Amino acid sequence: MSMPALMPVYPRCEVRPVRGEGVYLIGEQGERYLDFAAGIAVNCLGHGHPHLTQAIQQQAATLMHVSNLYGSPQGEALAQRIVANSFADTVFFTNSGAEAVECAIKTARRYHFANGNPQRNTLITFNMAFHGRTLGAISATNQAKMRDGFEPLLPGFEYATFNDLEGALALIGDHTAGFLVEPVQGEGGIRVASQEFLQGLRKACDEHGLLLVLDEVQCGYGRTGTLFAHEQYGVRPDIVASAKGIAGGFPLGACLATEDAAKGMVFGTHGSTYGGNPLAMAAGEAVLDVMLEDGFFDNVKAMGDRLRSSLEQMIPNFDHLFEEVRGMGLMLGLKLKSDSRRFVAHCRDNHGLLLVAAGENVVRILPPLVIGEEHVAEAIEKLSDAARVYVPEADD
Ligand SMILES: *Cc1c(COP(=O)(O)O)cnc(C)c1O
């Protein structure tokens, strides 16, 4: 048989991690990597964080899963804590980002249905967006590489240009439910929404009775220096999809909503067998225990500033390779003048530095949020070493 047992949908590299220690990953032969990919913005506390590990171990021994047919003291506690620290009034727990996005889409459609406007079923989304791999989530992006061959896709999405407020507003019609947008696009290439763009979308929502739905699966949970990225825009969303860093590596996602936006999500409208299980809740609590401690976000901001300015200082030394730095907090992108995938492979294979490629030839730099100055220095040293000997391919 030529088909591998593990369905070959990922172009997996040679790194085969078996252990993690803080900001480092260790391979089968003991090779060490500085992990500035963090499971694609997931391992926000690094690997093997004692508080998170202990919380999971204790909860696994106490109670791992019960049905949502029963009361959930664990779910209520974490939901209340998220509500107390965000715009939201209510939370639905999922097991992944795509499921959180699905719940966000359903909540938005159901809001207009509950208001007697079922024709308002179309979300305006944006080019280069990434919302996950379910049929709903791939329908919400116009990136062909994710959609080809999976038709028929879900109707009810229209596509505008990211950061083009006029273009987005021009699509508003009687069928519009709202906007679905990443405040900082991750997979698309660390593209940061402008203040006027997000604020303009909010204003349009208020004027037309639409919902502002944010996908903060990647940019949320401390990544940009605040618990949610939209806090830095002075914009209040109606619905937010969260996941990735939310439980530090344990599978968990969440759909957050205001009371008004969630008005249609009544008994029987949504569900999940695993969603909000006690083990996931324990991991989510442990992440908030650490993240809400004094100084956590200050560290994200300080390390983000430090990393960014170090990258900016490095660029002129290699201006044949690098174009610019973009991003917020510890969600940074280094734009290359050639193929970013090949450079990511070079850093990984020859310099022990893990990064993630993204759209627009951007290298994503997404370290654990608990890094210190020494890790920033080590990353810059590895990146400079890598850049010094790197020869882009002629046809890149
Ligand atoms: C990763 C990601 C998703 C999908 O999350 P999964 O857990 O892989 O389903 C959705 N939206 C954004 C912005 C993401 O970065």
Side-chain angles (χ1 to χ4, degrees), residues 219-272:
C219 64
Y221 254 77
R223 182 58 49 192
T224 64
T226 44
L227 186 55
F228 292 101
H230 66 257
E231 294 167 33
Q232 295 181 54
Y233 287 85
V235 159
R236 184 191 51 78
D238 299 294
I239 302 172
V240 167
S242 180
K244 289 208 162 87
I246 190 170
F250 194 88
L252 176 63
C255 175
L256 288 61
T258 63
E259 182 171 7
D260 187 44
K263 73 200 295 185
M265 300 305 279
V266 298
F267 287 151
T269 52
H270 199 46
S272 166

Side-chain angles (χ1 to χ4, degrees), residues 17 24 44 46 67 87 99 119 190 192 195 266 275 318 344-345 396:
Y24 297 89
C44 55
S67 169
F87 76 98
E99 284 175 273
Q119 78 285 357
I190 311 291
V192 181
Q195 293 274 336
V266 298
F318 309 104
V344 166
D396 270 358

Side-chain angles (χ1 to χ4, degrees), residues 185-207:
Q185 287 191 339
E187 203 274 345
I190 311 291
R191 305 204 309 162
V192 181
S194 68
Q195 293 274 336
E196 61 190 21
F197 177 61
L198 268 203
Q199 286 172 2
L201 294 182
R202 174 72 266 169
K203 193 159 160 271
C205 286
D206 292 339
E207 282 168 12

Side-chain angles (χ1 to χ4, degrees), residues 5-47:
L6 199 51
M7 195 183 277
V9 293
Y10 280 103
R12 291 173 187 274
C13 69
E14 305 282 295
V15 178
R16 297 166 66 83
V18 290
R19 207 154 42 87
E21 285 172 9
V23 184
Y24 297 89
L25 271 182
I26 293 117
E28 281 175 317
Q29 262 70 56
E31 330 78 274
R32 277 175 87 81
Y33 298 91
L34 181 66
D35 187 8
F36 268 40
I40 316 189
V42 169
N43 304 101
C44 55
L45 307 186
H47 302 283

Side-chain angles (χ1 to χ4, degrees), residues 83-344:
V83 163
N85 286 284
S86 72
F87 76 98
D89 299 312
T90 190
V91 180
F92 181 88
F93 289 113
T94 68
N95 312 290
S96 67
E99 284 175 273
V101 168
E102 289 285 334
C103 182
I105 295 167
K106 286 180 70 174
T107 303
R109 286 189 177 181
R110 188 83 189 182
Y111 167 82
H112 292 294
F113 173 86
N115 278 346
N117 297 310
Q119 78 285 357
R120 290 198 175 198
N121 55 20
T122 298
L123 285 167
I124 296 168
T125 68
F126 296 90
N127 70 314
M128 305 290 282
F130 180 73
H131 298 296
R133 299 298 198 133
T134 58
L135 281 166
I138 61 173
S139 304
T141 181
N142 61 355
Q143 292 200 64
K145 63 179 181 187
M146 289 161 201
R147 299 163 52 112
D148 283 355
F150 295 115
E151 296 85 0
L153 297 177
L154 201 65
F157 297 97
E158 285 175 351
Y159 315 98
T161 302
F162 189 72
N163 268 339
D164 173 10
L165 182 60
E166 301 265 297
L169 301 187
L171 288 181
I172 295 174
D174 293 341
H175 57 291
T176 307
F179 301 98
L180 168 60
V181 60
E182 296 156 85
V184 184
Q185 287 191 339
E187 203 274 345
I190 311 291
R191 305 204 309 162
V192 181
S194 68
Q195 293 274 336
E196 61 190 21
F197 177 61
L198 268 203
Q199 286 172 2
L201 294 182
R202 174 72 266 169
K203 193 159 160 271
C205 286
D206 292 339
E207 282 168 12
H208 299 272
L210 309 178
L211 296 174
L212 182 61
V213 185
L214 301 182
D215 183 343
E216 292 221 22
V217 169
Q218 192 163 154
C219 64
Y221 254 77
R223 182 58 49 192
T224 64
T226 44
L227 186 55
F228 292 101
H230 66 257
E231 294 167 33
Q232 295 181 54
Y233 287 85
V235 159
R236 184 191 51 78
D238 299 294
I239 302 172
V240 167
S242 180
K244 289 208 162 87
I246 190 170
F250 194 88
L252 176 63
C255 175
L256 288 61
T258 63
E259 182 171 7
D260 187 44
K263 73 200 295 185
M265 300 305 279
V266 298
F267 287 151
T269 52
H270 199 46
S272 166
T273 297
Y274 294 130
N277 67 75
L279 192 53
M281 298 300 93
E285 290 275 10
V287 164
L288 279 186
D289 289 343
V290 177
M291 214 172 256
L292 297 178
E293 262 172 25
D294 277 352
F296 186 92
F297 296 130
D298 294 337
N299 184 65
V300 177
K301 287 185 194 130
M303 291 306 119
D305 288 348
R306 196 177 180 92
L307 185 53
R308 191 189 187 107
S309 60
S310 307
L311 289 166
E312 276 162 357
Q313 278 168 33
M314 182 191 77
I315 287 184
N317 303 334
F318 309 104
D319 59 2
H320 60 296
L321 274 185
F322 304 131
E323 205 168 297
E324 60 163 348
V325 185
R326 36 166 96 161
M328 277 165 76
L330 285 173
M331 185 171 185
L332 294 174
L334 182 58
K335 184 163 165 55
L336 265 67
K337 294 179 173 169
S338 59
D339 182 35
S340 64
R341 268 159 229 287
R342 198 165 158 273
F343 185 70
V344 166

